[in-house]
């Protein structure tokens, strides 16, 4: 019932939609050649080539001046507050880096000196020498006993 009452409205709207689509396609076909000829960077470059040399040179110089003006103004201006603060920050950073490098070098030198002193004292310590000598003898005895046991097991079998 609902379908039957709305069927004429649906047909009417579909007809309008088809008409609008046809109108859009027709309008696109009539305007497309105009758009194709005057679009993009290449069209602009071609139009610049058609200009006489004097206006073309003027436009080139105008764009060159616009692009380079900030650079020239920065180069010609005196040092400002920002430049001074930037130089101070760079100096502070380089000083900090030098301090850290010197601290690392001193730490390494101190560590080397301490190790040399400790090992020198250990080499002069008779008690440590005797202890290491005894442990080395114990290891040699164990190795000899193990080798002897292994050889006798081979001979028995």
């Amino acid at each position: 019932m609902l379908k039957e009452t709305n069927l004429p409205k649906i047909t009417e709207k579909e007809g309008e939609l088809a008409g609008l689509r046809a109108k859009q396609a027709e309008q696109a076909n009539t305007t497309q050649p105009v758009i194709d000829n005057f679009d993009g960077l290449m069209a602009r470059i071609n139009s610049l080539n058609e200009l006489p040399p004097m206006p073309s040179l003027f436009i080139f110089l105008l764009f060159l001046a616009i692009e380079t003006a900030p650079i020239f103004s920065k180069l010609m201006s005196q040092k400002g507050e920002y430049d001074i603060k930037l130089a101070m920050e760079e100096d502070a950073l380089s000083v900090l880096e030098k301090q850290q490098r010197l601290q690392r070098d001193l730490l390494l030198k101190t560590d080397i000196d301490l190790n040399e002193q400790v090992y020198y004292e250990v080499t002069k310590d008779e008690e440590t020498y005797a202890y290491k000598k005894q442990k080395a003898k114990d290891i040699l005895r164990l190795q000899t006993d193990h080798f002897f046991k292994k050889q006798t097991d081979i001979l028995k079998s």
Side-chain angles (χ1 to χ4, degrees):
M1 172 146 165
L2 182 63
K3 203 175 203 182
E4 294 170 359
T5 57
N6 289 330
L7 188 59
K9 290 180 186 177
I10 293 173
T11 309
E12 179 186 343
K13 297 294 181 187
E14 286 179 349
E16 286 179 22
L17 183 63
L20 288 172
R21 285 187 180 155
K23 187 177 178 182
Q24 179 187 13
E26 180 185 334
Q27 193 172 14
N29 287 336
T30 58
T31 58
Q32 191 62 38
V34 173
I35 293 172
D36 286 340
N37 291 333
F38 297 105
D39 192 32
L41 179 64
M42 199 60 203
R44 293 182 185 126
I45 292 173
N46 288 337
S47 65
L48 276 176
N49 285 338
E50 294 173 9
L51 286 175
M54 202 59 169
S56 179
L57 178 66
F58 176 73
I59 291 171
F60 169 74
L61 292 175
L62 177 68
F63 282 119
L64 183 68
I66 290 171
E67 291 294 324
T68 57
I71 298 168
F72 284 126
S73 67
K74 179 65 179 168
L75 289 174
M76 296 175 74
S77 67
Q78 294 179 352
K79 283 190 175 184
E81 183 178 336
Y82 174 77
D83 297 320
I84 294 169
K85 285 191 181 272
L86 179 65
M88 287 174 55
E89 288 293 323
E90 288 174 349
D91 288 344
L93 189 62
S94 68
V95 166
L96 179 65
E97 187 268 331
K98 286 177 186 176
Q99 284 177 341
Q100 289 176 345
R101 189 175 344 120
L102 285 173
Q103 286 175 351
R104 283 192 308 266
D105 292 345
L106 288 173
L107 183 65
L108 177 65
K109 184 181 180 308
T110 305
D111 195 36
I112 290 171
D113 291 344
L114 284 174
N115 283 336
E116 286 176 356
Q117 279 183 340
V118 167
Y119 285 113
Y120 177 75
E121 289 178 10
V122 166
T123 57
K124 298 298 178 188
D125 187 15
E126 292 296 325
E127 183 182 336
T128 306
Y129 175 75
Y131 179 75
K132 280 189 122 182
K133 183 177 177 183
Q134 181 59 41
K135 290 299 176 184
K137 284 182 180 180
D138 291 344
I139 288 174
L140 285 173
R141 281 190 196 117
L142 288 172
Q143 286 176 343
T144 305
D145 291 343
H146 181 71
F147 178 76
F148 178 75
K149 185 176 181 294
K150 202 175 199 184
Q151 291 298 321
T152 53
D153 286 346
I154 290 173
L155 290 176
K156 287 181 184 178
S157 55

